[in-house]
Amino acid sequence: MDYLLQVKIGALVGLLLLTLLFGFIPARMKWFRETAGTETHQIVLSFISCFAGGVFLAACFLDIIPDYLSDINQQLQGLNSSYPVAEFIMACGFFTVLILERLVLSCTGRRSEETTPLLPPMGHGHAHGHRSVNDLEGSAQHVHVDLQAHSSFRSFMLFLSLSLHSVFEGLAIGLQTTDAKVLEICIAILVHKSIIVFSLSVKLVQSAIPPLWVAIYVSVFAIMSPIGIGVGIGVSEAQVQAGALIQAVLEGLAAGTFIYITFLEILPHELNSPERQLLKVLFILTGTFRKVSEEEQALRSKLEHLTVKDHGPVFGPCKKLPDHTVQKAKDELNETEEKKVSSVKELRSLIKEKAGERDDLSVDVREKFGDKSDSLLLRFIRARKFDVARAHELMKGYVRFRRDYPELFENMTPEAVRSTIEAGYPRILSTRDKYGRVVLLFNIENWDLEEVTFDETLRAYCVILEKLLENEETQINGFVLIENFKGFTMQHASGIKHTELKKMVDMLQDSFPARFKAVHVIHQPWYFTTTYNVVKPFMKSKLLERVFVHGDELDAYFRDFDAEILPPDFDGKGPNCNGKETAIKLFGSEDTAL
């Protein structure tokens, strides 16, 4: 089980247990059955609620929405429409929760509007010994109905209405891709739910609701967020063809839910009460800005507006990582200085442990990497987002690829590889794209399979990947491939064997410590589909989702790549990409440099 999944399951269990704990405390303590609490207690809970509102605000605008927009825009690259689809999906999440809650509440005999803060001001309670659903719903930030005229089932329906949006809250946790964001959003939800369930439980106990119904109310409310987390985990872990698109859409629905909770539940109900307005605003601001430092906010803002000039060189080692790339590694890969040290140490231990189990591949991994430098091991750890177990599996894939295709690693002479690269198979842009990725180009038009064989081309790719992965910026930002099929002939289609295509796909998935972010295909003829259909069964869903076939419609293509860095034969305005210059930058002027 990978580390991120463990964190999500821990969040699921933690939310469930702590919500139950805060829900059952009032039911088990006699003090809560006899008193509504002092004014100080109410003030403290109100301030905590304001703080939770700030945390929700920050989680919504600094984590969930930016991640969602990045993911959904990537999935909608091929969609030529001016309609704001991404924003519409968020609106659907907002109105889904709103409509569902209104439908449930309409069944309870709603009488008035939401106008009461979470904890109403002192001195406005009832004069009699029993409480009303008025109080119950006021404490839950919802509408007011007289409890004296309604059954426990109707009170349960009110509690259910509160629980509906909890599913979407949990969904936001289950869909996250880093443990740091899982914990941040989990804390925000935990603070919010603890206050709500505690306050509601107090009101239920003081309203003389039977203990069995109190237990049912609290239990239903407690399990909703874990259900959402479970759904999110299932979508994230499932290897389905449209998995990334489904995940992005669910992230949008969850983002809409967070907007609803923040702006229609927490903030208006707390700020509706005239008491201590400035202090409440202060707690909201504290909850908002405690999440990230000013420096991190600036770096994350820069990540949204990068240009090709913001990145280091493609060739050679990285002397110093740009600050925004360090922040990207932290956000996307869970990378910190402490984690680099601990993860490398953990991976070394795992290599020894697995080799002791006498698995052939694990033994080969120990022989290959047992005495290698920390920097080499870190490549595999970064490629799997600091999940050490998956990094070890990637090492096994690296060894397996060399064992399954020894012909690619025979005759690995400098002369053979250099001549292939000088011929332009493939070419490498000397400038990174605006996202910091290395761009590999392959123009099939003049490719003669007799002069440069398929294996020679793959061998060149293997050497290029090994050389360029020495650069830490490339390890973090990854690669993108652009393939121009304008000159793809029937001779090409018939000359490439399906076993060779499988070999190419195996190279791209689970065989190199590289992050392949996208494959773009342009100007393909109609019969390209036949070759692509042969490749598809070998591709995992994650790789399939990153293949973009543009044809001659290049609007989405140019949204990803600046024409100024692309050579003319890739529809760009930049200089030609010279294979001989590329070989010199890779290996130096002497063949022996390899």
Side-chain angles (χ1 to χ4, degrees):
M1 185 186 299
D2 64 63
Y3 179 71
L4 178 60
L5 182 57
Q6 292 176 10
V7 173
K8 289 180 180 180
I9 293 175
L12 185 154
V13 175
L15 267 176
L16 176 63
L17 295 180
L18 288 174
T19 305
L20 288 172
L21 174 65
F22 281 99
F24 286 131
I25 284 176
R28 301 301 299 172
M29 295 182 66
K30 182 179 178 181
W31 183 85
F32 289 106
R33 294 193 293 270
E34 297 176 349
T35 176
T38 66
E39 182 178 4
T40 301
H41 291 138
Q42 296 189 15
I43 292 171
V44 169
L45 284 178
S46 183
F47 286 158
I48 294 174
S49 181
C50 290
F51 179 81
V55 174
F56 260 73
L57 191 68
C60 184
F61 288 110
L62 300 180
D63 281 331
I64 296 175
I65 291 180
D67 288 348
Y68 158 67
L69 291 176
S70 174
D71 292 343
I72 196 67
N73 287 334
Q74 184 177 2
Q75 296 304 314
L76 299 177
Q77 280 183 347
L79 182 65
N80 295 317
S81 171
S82 59
Y83 191 79
V85 177
E87 289 76 8
F88 176 76
I89 293 172
M90 277 197 295
C92 287
F94 179 94
F95 284 109
T96 296
V97 179
L98 177 64
I99 292 170
L100 286 175
E101 289 200 348
R102 296 306 99 178
L103 285 173
V104 172
L105 289 173
S106 68
C107 299
T108 66
R110 168 180 167 173
R111 305 295 172 98
S112 62
E113 299 299 323
E114 298 182 340
T115 57
T116 308
L118 173 67
L119 295 163
M122 296 295 291
H124 298 282
H126 294 275
H128 303 289
H130 49 74
R131 311 284 289 184
S132 70
V133 172
N134 230 2
D135 300 322
L136 171 61
E137 296 177 18
S139 70
Q141 308 169 22
H142 282 271
V143 298
H144 310 291
V145 185
D146 187 3
L147 177 61
Q148 296 166 348
H150 295 82
S151 67
S152 296
F153 177 74
R154 302 191 78 172
S155 300
F156 173 74
M157 292 296 289
L158 291 172
F159 224 111
L160 181 61
S161 73
L162 282 176
S163 304
L164 292 175
H165 65 242
S166 295
V167 176
F168 289 95
E169 292 175 359
L171 194 62
I173 294 176
L175 294 172
Q176 293 307 305
T177 56
T178 68
D179 58 293
K181 290 182 178 179
V182 168
L183 293 174
E184 288 176 359
I185 296 172
C186 181
I187 290 171
I189 294 173
L190 180 59
V191 173
H192 171 62
K193 289 198 69 172
S194 297
I195 295 169
I196 294 299
V197 75
F198 183 86
S199 181
L200 284 170
S201 185
V202 169
K203 302 298 182 182
L204 287 168
V205 168
Q206 294 171 352
S207 300
I209 297 292
L212 176 61
W213 278 101
V214 174
I216 293 174
Y217 297 160
V218 172
S219 298
V220 168
F221 189 62
I223 65 173
M224 288 301 180
S225 289
I227 288 174
I229 296 175
V231 173
I233 291 174
V235 172
S236 299
E237 297 294 320
Q239 296 291 325
V240 295
Q241 185 167 343
L245 178 60
I246 295 172
Q247 181 170 338
V249 171
L250 291 176
E251 286 175 357
L253 297 176
T257 301
F258 267 66
I259 294 173
Y260 177 89
I261 295 167
T262 304
F263 293 103
L264 287 191
E265 288 197 353
I266 302 176
L267 297 185
H269 292 286
E270 287 306 323
L271 296 177
N272 183 61
S273 174
E275 288 83 4
R276 302 174 181 85
Q277 287 282 305
L278 292 180
L279 277 175
K280 289 182 178 180
V281 171
L282 178 62
F283 274 89
I284 293 170
L285 291 174
T286 304
T288 302
F289 294 110
R290 54 146 285 282
K291 276 184 58 63
V292 291
S293 67
E294 185 176 338
E295 181 182 7
E296 285 192 9
Q297 290 184 59
L299 290 172
R300 285 174 177 165
S301 176
K302 186 174 180 62
L303 283 170
E304 299 294 323
H305 306 90
L306 293 174
T307 68
V308 296
K309 298 179 181 179
D310 292 316
H311 307 286
V314 170
F315 300 99
C318 175
K319 295 181 180 179
K320 184 182 183 299
L321 282 172
D323 290 339
H324 59 77
T325 305
V326 174
Q327 185 63 45
K328 181 178 182 179
K330 180 180 179 181
D331 290 345
E332 292 188 7
L333 309 182
N334 304 309
E335 180 172 322
T336 63
E337 288 300 319
E338 297 79 10
K339 205 162 188 178
K340 285 198 295 187
V341 175
S342 62
S343 296
V344 169
K345 184 178 180 181
E346 184 180 348
L347 181 55
R348 288 196 185 279
S349 298
L350 189 61
I351 290 172
K352 293 179 181 178
E353 177 188 334
K354 293 295 184 181
E357 297 175 1
R358 295 302 177 184
D359 172 61
D360 289 345
L361 281 176
S362 296
V363 172
D364 290 344
V365 167
R366 182 181 61 183
E367 292 177 358
K368 180 73 176 177
F369 298 103
D371 58 351
K372 291 297 190 292
S373 65
D374 289 354
S375 59
L376 181 58
L377 270 58
L378 188 58
R379 295 184 197 179
F380 291 87
I381 294 170
R382 279 178 168 146
R384 290 297 178 263
K385 298 184 177 180
F386 280 74
D387 185 324
V388 173
R390 292 180 64 222
H392 185 264
E393 287 299 315
L394 180 58
M395 285 179 159
K396 290 169 66 175
Y398 181 93
V399 171
R400 183 189 298 110
F401 183 71
R402 281 148 183 76
R403 186 191 65 183
D404 292 348
Y405 305 111
E407 65 274 11
L408 293 181
F409 303 94
E410 296 170 355
N411 190 32
M412 185 72 84
T413 63
E415 294 83 1
V417 177
R418 180 183 285 273
S419 63
T420 305
I421 294 172
E422 286 179 345
Y425 305 109
R427 288 182 280 167
I428 309 168
L429 281 188
S430 58
T431 304
R432 298 177 185 273
D433 71 359
K434 60 186 176 182
Y435 304 110
R437 306 174 297 191
V438 172
V439 183
L440 304 179
L441 305 172
F442 193 92
N443 190 341
I444 204 169
E445 186 170 16
N446 297 316
W447 185 26
D448 188 331
L449 283 166
E450 293 183 359
E451 289 186 10
V452 181
T453 67
F454 199 91
D455 277 359
E456 287 174 337
T457 303
L458 288 185
R459 188 180 297 119
Y461 269 107
C462 291
V463 173
I464 285 171
L465 292 174
E466 294 282 12
K467 292 293 290 184
L468 296 184
L469 281 169
E470 294 172 2
N471 187 302
E472 287 191 284
E473 197 170 352
T474 302
Q475 295 170 25
I476 293 169
N477 292 322
F479 295 86
V480 60
L481 283 66
I482 307 177
E483 301 189 353
N484 186 349
F485 274 76
K486 188 174 185 179
F488 186 63
T489 64
M490 295 297 290
Q491 185 178 0
H492 285 126
S494 60
I496 302 174
K497 302 174 183 177
H498 78 279
T499 53
E500 293 175 324
L501 293 172
K502 181 180 185 303
K503 194 184 303 184
M504 176 191 69
V505 172
D506 287 347
M507 182 190 72
L508 292 175
Q509 54 189 17
D510 302 330
S511 298
F512 273 91
R515 304 183 73 200
F516 293 105
K517 304 302 291 181
V519 178
H520 293 265
V521 179
I522 59 174
H523 301 308
Q524 75 280 358
W526 63 269
Y527 47 85
F528 164 81
T529 305
T530 303
T531 302
Y532 187 42
N533 287 337
V534 173
V535 175
K536 273 186 174 181
F538 305 132
M539 300 170 70
K540 295 182 179 180
S541 60
K542 187 174 183 179
L543 181 57
L544 270 172
E545 291 159 0
R546 295 183 176 183
V547 176
F548 303 96
V549 181
H550 300 280
D552 296 322
E553 298 292 330
L554 301 182
D555 290 345
Y557 172 68
F558 284 120
R559 283 198 292 270
D560 248 16
F561 302 101
D562 297 326
E564 287 72 18
I565 70 170
L566 295 171
D569 58 332
F570 283 79
D571 296 270
K573 302 175 183 178
N576 285 312
C577 193
N578 187 288
K580 291 186 177 180
E581 291 180 3
T582 297
I584 291 173
K585 290 176 181 176
L586 276 174
F587 311 128
S589 58
E590 298 294 333
D591 288 346
T592 53
L594 181 61

